[in-house]
Every structure is written in C-alpha cells, then in structure tokens.
Amino acid sequence: MIIPWGTDAPIYHRPIATVAIIVLNVAAFVLFPSADFEEWTLELGGGVHPVQWVTNVFMHIGLVHLIGNMIFLWAFGIIVEGKLGAVGFSALYLTMGAAESGLIQLLAHPEPIRHMLGASGVIYGLMAICLVWAPRNDLSCIFFLGFRPISAEIPILWFSGFYIAYETLSTTATRFAVSSALAHAGGAAVGFVAGVVLLRADLVDCEGWDLFSVSRVLKGRGGGKASESSWVADKVRKRAEKAAKLKKKNKKKQAAAATGEDPSQAALRTLRRHLEADETEAAVSFYKQMRRKFTRWRPPEPEWVELIKAVLDKKDWDDAVTLMRAYLDESEFPSVKVRLKLADVLIRRLDRPVAGERVLEGVPKDGLSPQLAEVRRQLAARAEQLREEGVLEIDDEARGA
C-alpha cells in the first residue's frame, strides 16, 4: 500500500478549497450515509439525474473508501489548487466530477440498475492534470514493507502514469463494463483534457515543467528520444550543484568568523547578492533565517524596501504582509506608500478588511498627495464594502500575522 502525503511541486496558493472539500466529504459520510440516501448516488440504467452528477462525488460506502480517497485528494489537490487558487480549483473539481459522472450516466445502461459513488473519479482527474502540469515533480510517499514504514520520493509521471494505465487496461479488458475502473479511467480522461485545455489557454503557469515542455527537452537537439537515464542524471546534477553552493556558502561563513568580520555586514552582502540575482525566494529565506538567529537584525531601509517589492512582484502575499509589518514596526521613518500597499494587500488580495482598516488608521488623511489620498479613500471604501458583505475574517492579532 502506497500513501502519498506531500510533494516538491511549487504551491503558490494555500490548499483552502482542498481542505474544505475533504471536510465536506467527511461531513457527508457522517450525516448522509449512502445506504440511507441512495437517491443521491449515481444511478445507472434508470434515466438521467443531473443532481446526482455532483452529489455522488461527496458520498462514500465505507470508512476505508473515504480515507483512501481523502489521502489521494490531499496529495493531488494541493498541487492543482497550488497553481489555480481556491476558486479555480473548486470550479474545476465540481466541473470534472459532473462531467465524468454525467458521461457515465448517459452512456452506461446496465441490467439491472446499478449505483456508483465516491470521489475517486474526480481524483483520477486530478492525477491526470498533475501528470500534464508537473510530471517531473515528486510525490512524498510512505509504503509498508511488512510492518515497517518506508519513505520514498516518486515522480508524478511514474505514479500517476501507473495508476491511470492500470485502470485504463482494466476497463478495456472488461469491455467498458460498469465498474470502479470505468469511473477511474473516465475521470482520468476528463482530467487530461481539462489539464491540456487550461495549459494551452495560458490559464496556468507550469514554469516549463509541464508534460509538453518536458517532452521537448527529452527529445534533444537531434530529435532523437533521450533515455530516461539522462533525466535522472539531470536531477543528480542539480542536487550536486545545490550541495556545492551550500558548501561554498558554509566556507564563506567560516572565513568571515575567522577574520572577525561583522556578521551583520556579511548578512547584508548575502542579501544584496540574492536581490541582485533576482533570487527572491532565497532572499526571503535568508531574511527569515537572520531574523530567527539575530532578533534585532534588520536590513537597511533600501534593501528592505527592495525585498518587499520583489516579494510583491512574485505575488507571495503572506510573506509580503510579514515583511511590510516588520518594516513598519521597526523602521525609523517608514514609508507611507508601504503602509498603503500593506492595506491594499490585506483588503484586495487577502479579503481581510478589518486588518486593512487597522493599517489605514496609521495613514493620516491630511498631508497626503492627491493621488495617495485617493488610494486611501478607495481602500477604505473597499474594506467597508467587504465588511458589509459579511466576509469571514480571523482576527489579525490572534493570527499573529
């Protein structure tokens, strides 16, 4: 038994929708047992029932069925939602579930009438999407050798490819008879099409790691198909380069300690190097490391503002909020523009109007240029609108953000 639980694929959005869908599945299992609500499962051979196309994917026949599906939903959901965001992922999830269920109900006419249920069809759709969008990324998995758990990193291409191929072959061998294999293969087909369409329409950015980009790389310059060993060698080379950089970095630290160099100056030089090389993630990671190690350390204002701008350009809103808060709290003469930008991110990007209004309280209405005064007015109006709409917001101070 293989249990996937994590991934090295880049995740740019918190898995809010993935967690919410898991909670809905668990709630449906507890509150609406399939034995008592058969009319919400997918009825095959008894006509067309569109409502069942959605309801059946939230129902499960037993605890093992539920737990297994939720584990796989988590592993693949965080990858897809990580690229689409909560709204896009929710729409895609429901659309795939309805499409896969609708096709089966429309095309399958078994004798006697049968019922199907479960999220596995949609999950196979997510597996197929991950196969298209992130084939070279790894899944962190646990499998058991006897009673001994063993961890392993398995490429999504191999993991998803094996599962989808197995279900497709099983469906073909049974001549497309109504079965779980049919639902799985159908979901994978729907997911593959959805993944390709979204990718080709430039609605998702896979940063050159998608199936088609990888295929072009593997073909090589001569047009011949590269061996799988070249892929493995490439990953080994990248890891070796990363280890060499880390070793070089450690040597510099040791040399600085030996010469008695001021650690704050060495830290500033490292931060500048990351910023000049446009290594935003490395710069943020180094900043956090220094803040943990030296609680009073802070970069000079120009570098601090430059780091904030770089994080904002990457649309990493949570890190941007943390950086801007620290800057406003600790800078001797904090910029009004940074304060307004923090309010903008909280209100317009994170839907946190109360926290945004607290920030705006520190921006005086008098003394601003006409342009900045208009920005403040628009932010205040948007925050008030969100509060009137009843946006649910966890208290900013309680979150410790």
Side-chain angles (χ1 to χ4, degrees), residues 78-269:
I78 60 175
I79 299 174
V80 178
E81 184 177 0
K83 295 183 182 297
L84 288 180
V87 175
F89 176 77
S90 300
L92 178 64
Y93 186 92
L94 294 174
T95 300
M96 286 198 305
E100 175 260 339
S101 299
L103 286 172
I104 293 177
Q105 191 172 71
L106 289 169
L107 299 177
H109 302 283
E111 292 284 348
I113 292 175
R114 296 185 60 181
H115 292 263
M116 296 182 69
L117 70 164
S120 55
V122 194
I123 292 169
Y124 268 79
L126 296 177
M127 290 173 63
I129 291 175
C130 292
L131 179 64
V132 174
W133 291 357
R136 293 185 66 181
N137 287 111
D138 294 333
L139 284 174
S140 300
C141 301
I142 297 175
F143 64 95
F144 292 88
L145 188 61
F147 293 100
R148 179 185 176 188
I150 299 176
S151 61
E153 303 292 325
I154 303 178
I156 291 174
L157 178 64
W158 298 355
F159 192 100
S160 296
F162 171 79
Y163 273 88
I164 292 172
Y166 177 82
E167 298 297 340
T168 302
L169 290 174
S170 298
T171 302
T172 305
T174 58
R175 298 183 179 181
F176 299 94
V178 175
S179 63
S180 60
L182 176 64
H184 298 165
V190 171
F192 186 86
V193 172
V196 172
V197 170
L198 291 172
L199 183 64
R200 294 302 191 190
D202 289 329
L203 296 177
V204 62
D205 182 11
C206 298
E207 302 174 348
W209 281 68
D210 60 272
L211 185 64
F212 303 103
S213 298
V214 170
S215 297
R216 286 193 293 270
V217 172
L218 291 179
K219 286 180 181 179
R221 294 181 180 178
K225 187 175 182 180
S227 66
E228 183 182 351
S229 61
S230 64
W231 179 355
V232 176
D234 182 56
K235 294 189 74 173
V236 171
R237 178 182 59 80
K238 289 182 178 179
R239 289 176 180 174
E241 290 176 353
K242 185 177 180 180
K245 288 181 180 179
L246 182 60
K247 185 176 181 180
K248 185 177 180 180
K249 182 178 179 181
N250 290 334
K251 283 185 177 181
K252 287 184 177 180
K253 287 183 178 179
Q254 293 172 1
T259 58
E261 182 181 11
D262 184 358
S264 63
Q265 292 301 316
L268 177 58
R269 188 168 57 252

Side-chain angles (χ1 to χ4, degrees), residues 379-393:
L379 289 173
R382 178 56 181 163
E384 183 177 357
Q385 180 185 357
L386 287 174
R387 286 194 294 103
E388 291 175 353
E389 291 174 356
V391 172
L392 178 63
E393 177 179 5

